[in-house]
Amino acid sequence: MKRLGVLGTLVRDTIIHPAGTGPVRAWGGIGYALAAFEAALPDGWRIVPIVKIGADLHARGISFIRSFTRVGDARFLRMVPEPNNRVELIYANDSDRLEVLTGGVPGWAVHEVGEFLSDLDALYVNFISGMELTLAGAKRIRDELAGPSHADLHSLFLSVESDGRRVPRYLRSSEEWAGCFDIVQMNEDEFAMFSRDAARPVRAAAPAFERRARVIVVTRGSEGAKMIAARRGQAPAVWEVPTSPGPASGDPTGCGDVWGAAFFSGILARADRRTAIAHAHALARCKLRCRGADETRQHLAGVGPCPPWSSH
């Protein structure tokens, strides 16, 4: 069995959405990616979760993560004394929301990164809190991980106000961060901050390709995704893959996480990038019908589209 490290933060969410009948309290954070990997990971792969959980939710969190059938080695599920991360998500509409964070689960120190790297065949990192790794830790991944890596930089572009509100920020050393992983994921707003609102953002992003990065994928919600890929001796290639037509409404919480895990599953299955993107679109669209990571897992496993690289 090949081993996929899945590094992120498990969150207890409270979701308030105009389309809902009331607040939903459920597991979120890295749980959405785990749900997608459960549905899309190719045969022959097992998940190695790399997650720190606050002492107040440790038993429940461990039980939740270990309930995923594709989860194998649980050595890197760690209890920490800090309170677990909780996030209140208050949506004004499907694209605008207020996010308030409480809790304080710490990230992985540089020496801790070395503990798991040698055991992995691939690594998926999702910056759920933005505190999962330091830049020095990311550079260790860049230099020592033998297999492919995918990182969703999401919350690296968010700061935390004194009252817990998450607000957008420019990311210092953004090209260095992106250059630590083979595939880097951002949404459109994050890509604008990544490129410092440059008039030619693709050119501004090019320095990331001087390091480890080979692909930058920019998710665009209902518009699909844009792919920016390195080309030796030439400007990066850019192409867009739209989603299927038709209405797509529901709870968008976790859609980007589902998208990234589904896309990386396709890469690990050696599918071509367009096929991987198309399946990522399909799973993210399917997620809109669900609220919370556990409901998402059940839905994707029950009626979600079968990945084209599956033997089942």
Side-chain angles (χ1 to χ4, degrees), residues 221 223-225 241-244 259 262 276-286:
E223 299 299 314
V241 181
T243 58
S244 55
W259 194 100
I277 290 174
H279 188 65
H281 286 346
L283 247 62
R285 192 182 188 94
C286 195

Side-chain angles (χ1 to χ4, degrees), residues 11-18 22-24 26-29 32 86-93 96-101 128 154-155 158 166 251-254 257 287 291-292:
V11 178
R12 195 66 184 170
D13 281 340
T14 298
I15 304 168
I16 302 171
H17 192 279
V24 171
W27 290 115
Y32 288 110
R86 290 172 166 82
V87 171
E88 186 174 44
L89 298 159
I90 305 170
Y91 284 88
N93 50 54
D96 298 312
R97 73 186 188 191
L98 172 65
E99 183 174 340
V100 181
L101 169 68
I128 302 290
H154 176 52
S155 288
L158 295 174
R166 307 302 305 266
D251 181 3
T253 309
D257 309 313
K287 188 273 144 203
R291 304 187 74 184

Side-chain angles (χ1 to χ4, degrees), residues 72-112:
D73 187 347
R75 282 182 299 151
F76 303 109
L77 289 175
R78 302 276 174 86
M79 182 175 74
V80 295
E82 292 84 358
N84 200 76
N85 288 25
R86 290 172 166 82
V87 171
E88 186 174 44
L89 298 159
I90 305 170
Y91 284 88
N93 50 54
D94 284 349
S95 58
D96 298 312
R97 73 186 188 191
L98 172 65
E99 183 174 340
V100 181
L101 169 68
T102 57
V105 171
W108 296 81
V110 176
H111 73 275
E112 293 178 305

Side-chain angles (χ1 to χ4, degrees), residues 127 129-131 133 153-158 169-171 177:
F127 288 93
S129 71
M131 304 165 199
L133 293 169
L153 302 188
H154 176 52
S155 288
L156 288 177
F157 295 97
L158 295 174
R169 68 170 183 186
Y170 288 105
L171 174 63
W177 277 102

